Amino acid sequence: MNGNDTFKSSVIGMQGNLLSFALKLTLNEEEAHDLVQDTTLKALDNEEKFVDNANFSGWMMTIMRNIFINNYRKRARENTVVDATEDLYHLNLSQDSGVQTPDGAFAAGEISAILNGFPADYRNPFSMHIAGYKYEEISEKLGMPLGTVKSRIFFTRKRLRELLKDYR
């Protein structure tokens, strides 16, 4: 049996230990199996970098840990939103309206109906605020003092809470 076969059998012998360590890292069985597979492949590809009198188990665990950390960082980068628009327009958009569900659509319809019953002086600033406008923008567009805009949005929100208290 040559050194290559010994190395491969050592890698295969580590599979159980690698799976245990991978489960601790990922907390997910499917991801753990993927991590073991990636670690095994990387170890086999880098056999020439292993020094014979080094701790084989430690070397394999280090490879696994590094792969896990790199994958984590990659996912974090992919999930990071970079908003290069003026005034961070995309970050200021509301992300989930709740209208996608039938209950959400029904509730949104009722809220709209109640809101339409409010006087325009209260309904318009509130609607613009919900649409993502900033207080200053609402004040400018409606020609109202900033304090008036803020208080009307506050009172509209308060009145909606009172009228919709059964939805909580």
Side-chain angles (χ1 to χ4, degrees), residues 44-112:
L44 292 172
D45 286 345
N46 292 292
E47 177 183 353
E48 72 282 351
K49 293 181 182 176
F50 178 71
V51 180
D52 281 336
N53 43 345
N55 178 0
F56 184 76
S57 177
W59 184 71
M60 292 288 290
M61 297 298 179
T62 300
I63 291 172
M64 178 175 281
R65 189 189 75 232
N66 289 342
I67 290 171
F68 175 76
I69 290 170
N70 289 341
N71 289 344
Y72 176 82
R73 288 178 179 161
K74 182 179 177 186
R75 281 194 305 268
R77 275 193 310 272
E78 288 171 353
N79 292 331
T80 301
V81 176
V82 177
D83 188 358
T85 60
E86 190 174 318
D87 295 332
L88 302 175
Y89 174 76
H90 295 291
L91 289 178
N92 291 324
L93 291 176
S94 59
Q95 299 300 315
D96 182 19
S97 66
V99 175
Q100 287 78 9
T101 65
D103 290 340
F106 180 69
E110 282 191 276
I111 292 169
S112 293

Side-chain angles (χ1 to χ4, degrees), residues 133-141 144 146 149-150:
Y133 287 93
K134 293 182 168 77
Y135 291 123
E136 293 81 10
E137 294 172 321
I138 298 168
S139 171
E140 232 176 75
K141 290 189 186 277
M144 292 181 183
L146 183 61
V149 168
K150 288 180 179 181

Side-chain angles (χ1 to χ4, degrees), residues 5-7 22 33 42 51 58 69 78 83-84 97 104 106 160 163:
D5 291 336
T6 305
F7 183 82
H33 285 288
K42 187 137 187 143
V51 180
I69 290 170
E78 288 171 353
D83 188 358
S97 66
F106 180 69
L160 277 173
L163 294 170

